[in-house]
Amino acid sequence: MPTPTTKDAKQALYAVAGVADLAVSTIRHLPADAAKLRGRIPAEAVKTYGELVRRGETLVTGVRRSRPTRQATEATRNAASRTKAARTRVRRSTATTRTSVKSAGTSVRKAAAADTKAVKAAASKVGDEK
């Protein structure tokens, strides 16, 4: 590795001094640059916001009008309709079953009462001679 010369050392010193001068110059201009940015940022923010709104509207409109979205919407409508129809069938079936059970219970009760009456009548005749 070559040994540094006096010329290299001077150049390094000058480079460091140049960096320091650039930093000081930049710092001196910061307040003016900051004032320019402060004036420019709100206008740019409003402009950017408007562009984002337009972009979002375009995207949402495209998604809404897309074929897969329309198909999914139709499938959802069909599923909701089928679910409603199934609910109606179950409700009616439940009502029919309830009526049938109640009717069967009544029939069994009447048959049991008739059987009881017949058994009592038959028991009372046991031992009677004619």
Side-chain angles (χ1 to χ4, degrees):
M1 178 168 196
T3 54
T5 61
T6 307
K7 182 178 178 187
D8 292 337
K10 283 183 182 179
Q11 284 180 345
L13 179 63
Y14 294 150
V16 170
V19 167
D21 184 49
L22 179 63
V24 168
S25 174
T26 302
I27 290 172
R28 280 190 191 136
H29 293 102
L30 277 180
D33 291 343
K36 287 180 196 173
L37 284 175
R38 269 195 304 269
R40 214 175 73 199
I41 287 177
E44 285 183 22
V46 169
K47 179 183 171 191
T48 303
Y49 180 77
E51 289 172 3
L52 290 173
V53 167
R54 281 189 295 281
R55 236 182 126 135
E57 283 177 327
T58 302
L59 177 65
V60 169
T61 301
V63 169
R64 283 184 180 159
R65 291 180 179 170
S66 72
R67 187 172 185 211
T69 301
R70 289 191 315 247
Q71 289 173 341
T73 301
E74 185 62 29
T76 302
R77 279 193 201 116
N78 288 339
S81 176
R82 288 179 182 172
T83 303
K84 186 177 177 184
R87 182 185 60 167
T88 301
R89 282 193 302 273
V90 167
R91 191 177 63 240
R92 287 181 183 166
S93 175
T94 303
T96 302
T97 302
R98 187 180 316 130
T99 303
S100 297
V101 168
K102 187 175 179 182
S103 174
T106 302
S107 296
V108 168
R109 194 172 38 255
K110 286 181 181 180
D115 288 345
T116 302
K117 187 176 180 183
V119 168
K120 285 182 182 179
S124 68
K125 290 182 183 178
V126 173
D128 285 343
E129 290 184 36
K130 283 192 174 184

